[in-house]
Amino acid sequence: EALSLSYAHFSYRIDDVKSLERGVNLLRNANLSNEELPKLGGILLAMQGKLWEGVNLLEQYYLSNPNAKSFSEIISLIIDKAGVDASLRYLEKSVSSYPSDMIILQYYADAYLPRNSEKAIAAYSQILESAPNNVNALNNLAWLLNETGKTNDAMMVIEKAYAASNDNVPVISTY
């Protein structure tokens, strides 16, 4: 199982569709219950030109085990195969479908940080409603508020971030 899984992962990394297909089939044929199989199947579909079918499978994998790495793989795959605009549309849909998912919301806010201050500010504010001491959200919100001329609000937010994590390099830089 480990060898088949490694083979499949390596094939994906070198963008070798046929080898990835063999690795996924080896895992399927061995009747092994590997949680990575749906993820690799989604990647394989995307590499075969069925991007959105693959993304749907990867999204189901992510929802069964939410973590930043899994969601990052979805966004990276979309950017690689369809471009940044497609990834932004996917993030919009994801935030609409899963508004309380902090990982998705963080990616959404970070994606809009350099593109749309209003959307990023709203997203970071939403994150802080659920996680008031999220240092990344506090720092980025403070930076955006400062950039949009709301310096008093920015100072209040960055002071809270600094109080929560005074050794965080981005916070120190913004402070």
Side-chain angles (χ1 to χ4, degrees), residues 36-116:
E36 294 279 315
L37 193 55
K39 179 174 94 170
L40 292 170
I43 292 168
L44 177 60
L45 284 170
M47 290 174 69
Q48 292 172 328
K50 300 172 187 171
L51 175 62
W52 298 109
E53 289 176 50
V55 166
N56 286 336
L57 196 54
L58 288 167
E59 185 176 294
Q60 293 310 309
Y61 173 79
Y62 164 77
L63 292 172
S64 69
N65 181 24
N67 64 73
K69 184 175 185 242
S70 293
F71 197 73
S72 174
E73 288 174 341
I74 296 171
I75 298 302
S76 295
L77 190 63
I78 295 170
I79 290 170
D80 184 47
K81 300 296 181 189
V84 172
D85 289 342
S87 73
L88 293 173
R89 287 191 301 275
Y90 176 76
L91 282 166
E92 293 274 354
K93 178 187 89 63
S94 296
V95 165
S96 176
S97 299
Y98 311 105
S100 61
D101 187 309
M102 290 296 110
I103 294 169
I104 292 174
L105 200 52
Q106 184 75 50
Y107 270 88
Y108 175 85
D110 291 348
Y112 278 105
L113 179 69
R115 292 174 179 81
N116 185 318

Side-chain angles (χ1 to χ4, degrees), residues 136-168:
N136 184 49
L138 287 166
N139 182 63
N140 290 349
L141 178 59
W143 185 85
L144 281 165
L145 290 170
N146 188 55
E147 288 294 306
T148 57
K150 300 172 185 164
T151 53
N152 289 337
D153 293 338
M155 280 306 296
M156 288 189 310
V157 174
I158 198 59
E159 285 175 5
K160 186 173 181 179
Y162 188 77
S165 183
N166 63 8
D167 61 346
N168 182 299

